[in-house]
Amino acid sequence: MAKIEESVQNSINLVCSSTIIEGNIQTEGDIRIDGKLHGNLNAQQRVVVGEQSIIEGNITCKDCDVSGTINGNLIVKGILSLTSTAKIIGDIEIEKLSIEPGAILSGKCTMKTNFDNEGAK
C-alpha cells in the first residue's frame, strides 16, 4: 500500500502547449500546465504554470511556480514563486511568496502561516 501512495505523490501530470482543457482538474500529484485551462485546478502537490500557458480559473495547491498567465484566485499552502514573465489577475492566499522583478500581480495578497490548522481547501 505504501508503494502505491508513494507513486501517486511522485507522479507528474503534463498538459502540453498545444492542449486546451475545458473543465476542472483535480490531482494528488504534481502538475505542469503549458497549454490552456478553462476551469479550476486542485492539486495536492506542486503546480507549475509554463511561460506560454493561460489559466482561466482558480488554483488550490501546496506549492506553485508561475511563469505564465492566471486569471483567477490562488490558494497556495506553501510557497508561490513568480518569475519575471508571470501575470496573475486575482487574489492570492499564500504562506510564502517569491517575486522576480517584472512579474505582474493584480489583486489582494493574504499571507497565512497555518493552513493545516484551519482545514484549508
Side-chain angles (χ1 to χ4, degrees), residues 25-41:
I25 297 175
Q26 184 165 338
T27 180
E28 292 183 18
D30 295 344
I31 186 167
R32 179 181 176 97
I33 307 281
D34 286 313
K36 295 181 181 176
L37 170 62
H38 300 280
N40 298 322
L41 171 57

Side-chain angles (χ1 to χ4, degrees), residues 44-73:
Q44 298 300 311
Q45 300 299 318
R46 177 178 300 279
V47 171
V48 177
V49 179
E51 190 170 340
Q52 301 303 315
S53 63
I54 299 173
I55 297 177
E56 299 278 344
N58 301 322
I59 298 176
T60 301
C61 61
K62 181 178 177 187
D63 296 304
C64 190
D65 299 327
V66 180
S67 296
T69 301
I70 300 172
N71 290 311
N73 300 324

Side-chain angles (χ1 to χ4, degrees), residues 10-112:
N10 292 333
S11 67
I12 299 173
N13 299 288
L14 177 62
V15 176
C16 298
S17 60
S18 61
T19 303
I20 299 172
I21 295 179
E22 300 277 346
N24 298 329
I25 297 175
Q26 184 165 338
T27 180
E28 292 183 18
D30 295 344
I31 186 167
R32 179 181 176 97
I33 307 281
D34 286 313
K36 295 181 181 176
L37 170 62
H38 300 280
N40 298 322
L41 171 57
N42 186 343
Q44 298 300 311
Q45 300 299 318
R46 177 178 300 279
V47 171
V48 177
V49 179
E51 190 170 340
Q52 301 303 315
S53 63
I54 299 173
I55 297 177
E56 299 278 344
N58 301 322
I59 298 176
T60 301
C61 61
K62 181 178 177 187
D63 296 304
C64 190
D65 299 327
V66 180
S67 296
T69 301
I70 300 172
N71 290 311
N73 300 324
L74 279 79
I75 297 176
V76 181
K77 300 173 189 174
I79 185 166
L80 172 61
S81 298
L82 306 180
T83 67
S84 61
T85 58
K87 181 177 180 182
I88 297 177
I89 309 299
D91 297 338
I92 62 172
E93 193 171 307
I94 49 146
E95 183 175 322
K96 297 176 184 173
L97 179 62
S98 171
I99 303 177
E100 289 182 2
I104 297 171
L105 174 59
S106 179
K108 182 176 71 172
C109 175
T110 304
M111 296 187 85
K112 294 189 172 190

